[in-house]
């Protein structure tokens, strides 16, 4: 076998040295047949020559010519037979090689097809798993969103019916519950819009001048009572020289820190929550550390994924749809920073936010805006309201008219344009989706009509329209999404018309600490009623039971005030914790 392989290698080398035409001819059927015949002819000539040499001594001289003729004829016959045999052998050899090549081609093709089928099957399997995972996530999301929406919606619906039926309900208390529930729904919708804007890459940031120390102090004051209501120690620490003012998006920075701080308190049953701020070389580091339940290692990789709640039972019991951390991470990245987490299950979690916040000069006018606004300095200002919803028109008129504005209303674009031509309002609050002319078309015509002398604010529930209007559409000055916070609307009106508000500046309320003295035994039945109402989520019943406790047992006033504060924040978990702690103290 080795000799044959060596011979083949030698022949290939020899053929490689030949000219291309000769090499091609030698590889053809004629060339190979000629070579075979040549080899066979040499063999036959040698054989017949040997026979002639052997027969010559035994044949007479006169018979030698005959012998030569016979041997020559035999050689010719053998050459003819050899030529045919060579052609047959070459044909068979080439046919066999062609068949082998074809078989090899088929085998290669089949292997490629099998590999392609396996690849397709693997892709289908992965697609199936992804679709099943997406379907499960969607189902979990819909169930969670449905629950989150129905609870506050039930409070709004229920109180509205009671007030409509004339029940003996304090209007102020009913308004507080309706407002709390509406804020909860608004926050839920805002979270969904935020994650949608982040994923589509169209979230916009503002450049605000933020008084950093005051901003951080407000956050600490906001969360210290919540932590104390659960019996937690809340630590607020700063290191390094904090600049007086920094430039950043105040709303988004507050949103990030509120998400992280509220989670720290929510998932900590005992121990502490620490809010630490360090500043050095324009780099601010926010650290939120707790001694809570921690995060299992298997959940760390998917911690910042939307709609993920984690596998820990305590995390599954908490309210929410799992968007807070996803939005926080996205906002930190958009602000050019980094969000990291370290956690040990059962020991606690530490979130670290690093952002570049350079100091900026103090604003020319840094005055506290009045919180109890009664009007504005200067003459009356005219405002045109255009909305096809009469309830929205009534709400805006009821807000602005008592402050001294001259209000005009229109329920469609054509009437609004007619009023604008006749009276030339200074500010227009304009809906987007209306019968007839759309808000965008009305805004364009208003801008053509009055130019920069008129200020136009779009007020719409179509959140996606904000991008339609801003992409090359500059007729409007600002866009507000319904439901609109009335304080935010007042701020926008003041900024657009450059108003100086008048009214009393409200002082910050001191945080209310829960009662630390031992309660009378008479409070126990009321605490039991509150706990039962919390268990079933009966918001109105919770408030009624707290009021009854405060009235029947005056010594519980500090505790009742703290419980009402939890209810006002919709913190039923913190409220339940306080009630259980007070109950245990009474039973000891």
């Amino acid at each position: 076998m080795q000799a044959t392989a060596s011979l083949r290698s030698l022949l290939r080398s020899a053929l490689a040295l030949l000219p291309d035409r000769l090499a091609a001819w030698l590889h053809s059927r004629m060339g190979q047949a000629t070579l075979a015949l040549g080899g066979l002819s040499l063999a036959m000539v040698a054989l017949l020559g040997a026979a002639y040499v052997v027969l010559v001594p035994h044949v007479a001289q006169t018979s030698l010519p005959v012998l030569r003729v016979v041997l020559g004829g035999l050689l010719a016959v053998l050459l003819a037979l050899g030529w045919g045999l060579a052609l047959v052998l070459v044909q068979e050899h080439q046919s066999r090689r062609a068949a082998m090549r074809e078989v090899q081609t088929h085998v290669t093709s089949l292997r490629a097809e099998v590999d392609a089928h396996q690849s397709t099957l693997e892709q289908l399997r992965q697609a199936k798993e992804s679709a099943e995972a997406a379907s499960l996530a969607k189902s979990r999301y819909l169930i969670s969103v449905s629950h989150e929406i129905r609870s506050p919606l039930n409070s709004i619906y229920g109180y509205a019916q009671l007030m409509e039926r004339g029940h003996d309900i304090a209007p102020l208390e009913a308004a507080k519950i309706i407002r709390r529930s509406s804020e909860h729904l608004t926050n839920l919708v805002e979270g969904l819009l935020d994650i949608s804007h982040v994923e589509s890459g169209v979230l916009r940031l503002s450049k605000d001048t933020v008084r950093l120390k005051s901003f951080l102090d407000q956050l600490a004051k906001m969360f210290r009572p919540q932590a104390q209501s659960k019996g937690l120690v809340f630590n607020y620490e700063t290191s390094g020289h904090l600049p007086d003012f920094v430039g950043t998006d105040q709303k988004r920075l507050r949103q990030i820190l509120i998400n992280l701080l509220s989670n720290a308190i929510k998932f900590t049953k005992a121990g502490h929550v620490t809010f630490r701020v360090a500043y050095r070389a324009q780099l601010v580091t926010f650290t939120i550390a707790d001694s809570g339940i921690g995060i299992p290692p298997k959940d760390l990789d998917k911690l910042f994924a939307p709609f993920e709640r984690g596998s820990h039972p305590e995390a599954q019991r908490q309210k929410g749809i799992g968007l807070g951390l996803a939005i926080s991470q996205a906002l930190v990245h958009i602000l050019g920073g980094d969000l990291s987490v370290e956690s040990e299950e059962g020991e606690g979690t530490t979130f670290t936010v690093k952002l570049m916040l350079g100091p900026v000069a103090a604003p020319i006018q840094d005055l506290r805006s009045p919180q109890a606004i009664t009007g504005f300095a200067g003459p009356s200002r005219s405002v045109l309201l255009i909305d096809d919803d009469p309830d929205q028109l009534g709400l805006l008129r009821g807000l602005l008219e008592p402050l001294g504005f001259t209000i005009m209303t229109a329920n469609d674009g054509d009437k609004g344009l007619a009023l604008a031509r006749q009276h030339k309002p200074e500010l227009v609050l304009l809906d987007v989706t209306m019968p007839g002319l759309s808000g965008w078309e009305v805004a364009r015509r208003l801008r053509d009509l009055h130019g920069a002398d008129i200020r136009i604010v779009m007020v719409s529930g179509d959140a996606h329209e904000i991008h339609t209007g801003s992409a090359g559409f500059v007729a409007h000055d600002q866009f507000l999404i319904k439901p609109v916070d009335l304080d935010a609307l007042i701020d926008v009106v003041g900024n657009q018309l450059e108003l100086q508000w008048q009214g009393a500046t409200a002082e910050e309320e001191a945080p209310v600490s829960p009662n630390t003295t031992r309660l009378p035994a008479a409070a126990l039945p009321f605490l039991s009623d509150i706990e039962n109402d919390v268990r079933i989520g009966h918001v109105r019943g919770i408030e009624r039971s707290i009021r009854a406790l405060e009235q029947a047992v005056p010594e519980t006033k500090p505790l009742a005030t703290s419980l009402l504060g939890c209810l006002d924040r919709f913190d039923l978990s913190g409220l339940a914790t306080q009630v259980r702690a007070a109950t245990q103290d009474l039973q000891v």
Side-chain angles (χ1 to χ4, degrees), residues 246-265:
V246 296
T248 187
D249 188 322
Q250 179 170 301
K251 174 186 176 182
R252 297 306 179 183
L253 180 58
R254 179 185 287 111
Q255 185 177 357
I256 293 165
L257 296 177
I258 286 178
N259 279 339
L260 297 178
L261 286 167
S262 61
N263 279 348
I265 295 174

Side-chain angles (χ1 to χ4, degrees), residues 281-445:
Q282 300 191 14
L283 176 66
V284 61
T285 302
F286 303 98
T287 304
I288 296 94
D290 63 65
S291 57
I293 61 176
I295 303 169
K298 63 180 180 180
D299 290 342
L300 284 174
D301 292 339
K302 56 183 180 181
L303 184 64
F304 297 106
F307 310 117
E308 285 292 342
R309 301 286 301 278
S311 59
H312 196 286
E314 182 66 22
Q316 294 292 330
R317 284 194 292 268
Q318 295 294 336
K319 291 180 177 294
I321 57 176
L323 285 178
L325 288 178
I327 293 174
S328 297
Q329 185 189 53
L331 291 177
V332 170
H333 289 168
I334 291 173
L335 291 172
D338 177 68
L339 172 60
S340 60
V341 58
E342 295 179 0
S343 183
E344 184 175 348
E345 190 172 6
E347 298 295 329
T349 304
T350 299
F351 285 91
T352 303
V353 178
K354 294 184 178 181
L355 290 171
M356 294 298 296
L357 297 182
V360 298
I364 297 176
Q365 186 178 18
D366 181 33
L367 301 175
R368 294 183 63 191
S369 298
Q371 295 183 8
I373 294 175
T374 58
F376 53 88
S380 178
R381 312 296 288 272
S382 59
V383 179
L384 171 61
L385 311 177
I386 306 177
D387 198 312
D388 63 324
D389 187 342
D391 293 335
Q392 293 293 323
L393 293 176
L395 172 65
L396 296 177
R397 178 189 285 275
L399 173 67
L400 298 176
E401 204 164 45
L403 298 179
F405 292 97
T406 300
I407 303 298
M408 298 169 282
T409 62
N411 57 10
D412 61 46
D414 291 324
K415 293 178 181 177
L417 289 171
L419 285 173
R421 292 189 189 95
Q422 183 177 358
H423 299 286
K424 192 181 179 181
E426 295 166 271
L427 173 68
V428 178
L429 300 181
L430 175 61
D431 189 20
V432 171
T433 304
M434 297 183 295
L437 296 177
S438 72
W440 298 123
E441 178 62 21
V442 175
R444 187 186 64 79
R445 295 189 185 185

Side-chain angles (χ1 to χ4, degrees), residues 459-477:
V459 185
S460 175
D462 300 318
H464 62 280
E465 290 282 358
I466 189 171
H467 311 304
T468 304
S470 60
F473 194 96
V474 294
H476 69 290
D477 297 291

